[in-house]
Amino acid sequence: MSEAKDASPWVPGSRELGDLESAAQECRGCELWQPATQVVFSSGERSARVVLVGEQPGDQEDRSGEPFVGPAGRVLDEALAEAGIDRGAAYLTNAVKHFRHEQRGKRRIHAKPELRHLAACRPWLDAELEAVEPRVVVALGATAARAVLDRPVKIGEVRGRVLEEPARPVVVTTHPSAVLRLRGRGGYDEAFGGLVADLRLATPYA
Ligand code: URA
Ligand code: SF4
């Protein structure tokens, strides 16, 4: 079989989240499925009003199959709580559904997905947004923003306000991993506060 150009051959016609998630287990839309443990699809219900989009699953997400359960997820949980958004009422997903990494001995080091991976995985995000029809989408970090907006943006230039996109309002903020990297160094409180402030822009829609 020749290589698929993206995930679309695996995306079913159904917009039930359960159907999407089970179909995604079989996805071979790019090569990232191969070294990963499993697909990490999403968490949350179709009734969610807020969709949060991350970059890709990390090591712990790859092992558990659930998004945002590792250290970055804990930062996100704290920030959501401060912003008054109930994590359980939000839909959490990623721009890329398999963990891209490099093996270094026993460790698996995060490797940023490339544009072609974002493009390959995009049909899943489109199907999820069609299923959930949220009132607002929050893109966590530049990679997620690129996937959601379909154009490159600099976080510093687009954060701090609601972007009135044709489909629905979008809020772009920093990725919780970027906040986490500052922990124990200067700048953590400010970066965390910035994340919370951006999330608060989405709170009225939640
Ligand atoms: N980082 C992400 O972008 N997504 C996850 O699910 C976990 C960490
Ligand atoms: Fe399919 Fe996305 Fe996984 Fe690539 S990363 S195999 S497109 S689910």
Side-chain angles (χ1 to χ4, degrees), residues 40 53-59 61 66-73 92-96 110 140 175-177:
V40 178
V53 182
E55 181 194 77
Q56 64 165 0
D59 180 71
E61 289 79 15
E66 288 293 314
F68 288 107
V69 293
L92 270 63
T93 191
N94 283 300
V96 169
H110 167 276
L140 302 166
H175 194 285
S177 298

Side-chain angles (χ1 to χ4, degrees), residues 97-151:
K97 309 295 196 239
H98 279 105
F99 175 39
R100 182 167 197 240
H101 61 277
E102 285 164 20
Q103 193 77 41
R104 300 242 183 94
K106 286 192 179 159
R107 291 186 65 203
R108 303 188 303 167
I109 312 290
H110 167 276
K112 204 169 114 102
E114 293 173 11
L115 269 184
R116 65 192 172 86
H117 300 122
L118 292 185
C121 218
R122 173 75 200 223
W124 290 117
L125 185 59
D126 288 340
E128 292 170 281
L129 293 173
E130 285 168 24
V132 178
E133 295 189 311
R135 291 190 185 170
V136 66
V137 173
V138 179
L140 302 166
T143 303
R146 171 107 209 202
V148 169
L149 300 170
D150 215 9
R151 61 177 187 270

Side-chain angles (χ1 to χ4, degrees), residues 73-84:
R74 283 193 286 281
V75 172
L76 180 61
D77 283 348
E78 279 175 43
L80 284 171
E82 275 212 28

Side-chain angles (χ1 to χ4, degrees), residues 163-174:
L163 307 177
E164 296 298 339
E165 293 297 306
R168 62 183 65 77
V170 171
V171 172
V172 175
T173 187
T174 181

Side-chain angles (χ1 to χ4, degrees), residues 44-57:
E45 308 291 327
R46 73 181 308 169
S47 57
R49 292 175 177 174
V50 182
V51 166
L52 294 135
V53 182
E55 181 194 77
Q56 64 165 0

